[in-house]
Amino acid sequence: MQKTKMLNRISLVLFSSLLLVASSCKKDDKPNPQPEPQSKLTEYKDGEDFVRFQYNTDGTIKKATVKNEINTDNDIVDFTLTYNDQKVITEMNSSSGEKIVPVYANGVLERADIFMAGERTGYTNYVFENGYMKKATIYVGSGVEFEPILEFDYNYNANGNVTQGVIMIGTDVPGQMLRAGHVNLQHDTKTNPLFAFRDFFALLWQGPSKNNVTVEDVFDENQVQTDKNVYTYNYNIKGFPNGATVKSGLPGQPQTESTVGFVYQ
């Protein structure tokens, strides 16, 4: 993953295409529970972006097919996952040729190395605080020369959901990062089905909340509000969301409408 290619993907449009990123991601020492069989998520779709899951017999993810702006450059990419005996992800390979190898310290994700054709081309450093992902910083480069290009910082409420996600972007000055914007979030009290796969999403720099996002207030680098997204969900009998209507736009300005959908097995 080359630095120029990565930087070309990064702009304030991230706030509309990566709504999952600025949400909470709780990391437990024990393997994450998988959804009950009758509630097993097979697809999540947000506009043109989606993730689809295929499962191993033990309930872990066998393959995830992903399309979004930052992780796949809007291409459709398959990720195959490998686990150890404790059902902890040890490797993730993509159909585009990348390999992601997570590194754990005392059972908590510490780093994820990114390889292309056997060469280490980048890595992500993670910081967890009180069991929650506080920061994820992405570096690119080669050999021993790596520079940070992107960072996500999170603030939480007492329920463990992120109330604010801040995006930092690298500059031409080595080691320097500048604020690119932030998102303030509100949530419902229902279970977010994506939360069960937080270990997988963490490797894609995304942190699904325990609950579903209902309001996103989007701000630019000058902390001026540029957008607002309001989600109205419908739920199934088990309390999981079937989908949502999303109205976007600032109050008093033209509104657009899109949908979010969930498919279960």
Side-chain angles (χ1 to χ4, degrees):
M1 187 177 298
Q2 301 301 315
K3 184 174 182 179
T4 54
K5 186 176 181 181
M6 283 292 299
L7 292 177
N8 285 339
R9 299 181 191 178
I10 300 167
S11 67
L12 291 179
V13 74
L14 291 178
F15 292 115
S16 60
S17 63
L18 286 180
L19 305 180
L20 295 177
V21 172
S23 303
S24 66
C25 184
K26 187 178 186 297
K27 177 69 179 181
D28 298 316
D29 291 342
K30 298 180 180 179
N32 292 325
Q34 299 296 321
E36 298 176 12
Q38 63 268 34
S39 301
K40 188 174 290 185
L41 184 70
T42 57
E43 181 182 73
Y44 167 77
K45 188 171 184 180
D46 182 357
E48 296 298 318
D49 296 346
F50 62 81
V51 56
R52 296 169 182 151
F53 296 109
Q54 295 181 26
Y55 297 95
N56 296 305
T57 55
D58 63 0
T60 56
I61 299 172
K62 179 179 181 180
K63 182 173 75 172
T65 302
V66 179
K67 178 183 179 296
N68 68 35
E69 183 176 358
I70 191 170
N71 297 121
T72 72
D73 201 19
N74 284 326
D75 294 330
I76 298 174
V77 177
D78 291 330
F79 292 91
T80 56
L81 283 69
T82 303
Y83 298 82
N84 62 17
D85 291 340
Q86 288 72 47
K87 298 185 181 181
V88 174
I89 300 171
T90 58
E91 189 171 295
M92 191 162 77
N93 290 275
S94 78
S95 57
S96 60
E98 285 185 341
K99 179 171 71 173
I100 301 172
V101 180
V103 178
Y104 302 91
N106 298 318
V108 177
L109 183 63
E110 181 180 57
R111 190 180 75 249
D113 293 321
I114 303 171
F115 296 89
M116 178 67 77
E119 179 184 357
R120 186 173 182 244
T121 57
Y123 61 91
T124 303
N125 277 348
Y126 297 89
V127 175
F128 287 85
E129 187 175 285
N130 299 321
Y132 291 87
M133 188 168 70
K134 180 68 175 174
K135 182 182 297 186
T137 308
I138 296 93
Y139 295 78
V140 296
S142 62
V144 296
E145 299 292 330
F146 291 87
E147 291 292 335
I149 63 164
L150 183 62
E151 181 176 277
F152 301 99
D153 298 318
Y154 306 98
N155 294 316
Y156 297 84
N157 62 16
N159 296 324
N161 288 326
V162 166
T163 57
Q164 184 179 87
V166 179
I167 294 183
M168 306 287 291
I169 292 181
T171 69
D172 291 333
V173 179
Q176 183 186 66
M177 303 196 80
L178 296 178
R179 187 186 185 104
H182 72 273
V183 181
N184 293 336
L185 300 105
Q186 301 176 40
H187 302 79
D188 64 12
T189 58
K190 303 286 189 178
T191 299
N192 177 4
L194 299 175
F195 182 70
F197 310 106
R198 55 199 182 277
D199 283 356
F200 164 73
F201 282 112
L203 296 177
L204 298 182
W205 315 322
Q206 301 186 22
S209 291
K210 194 171 186 177
N211 303 121
N212 304 288
V213 175
T214 56
V215 179
E216 296 169 330
D217 290 306
V218 182
F219 297 82
D220 65 14
E221 68 276 15
N222 297 313
Q223 302 194 49
V224 174
Q225 187 167 3
T226 59
D227 205 357
K228 185 181 188 76
N229 303 306
V230 179
Y231 295 72
T232 302
Y233 292 91
N234 61 82
Y235 304 92
N236 63 25
I237 193 170
K238 295 183 67 65
F240 289 99
N242 284 321
T245 299
V246 187
K247 291 186 177 180
S248 301
L250 295 175
Q253 296 184 6
Q255 303 279 304
T256 61
E257 191 170 293
S258 60
T259 59
V260 169
F262 299 82
V263 178
Y264 303 93
Q265 178 178 304

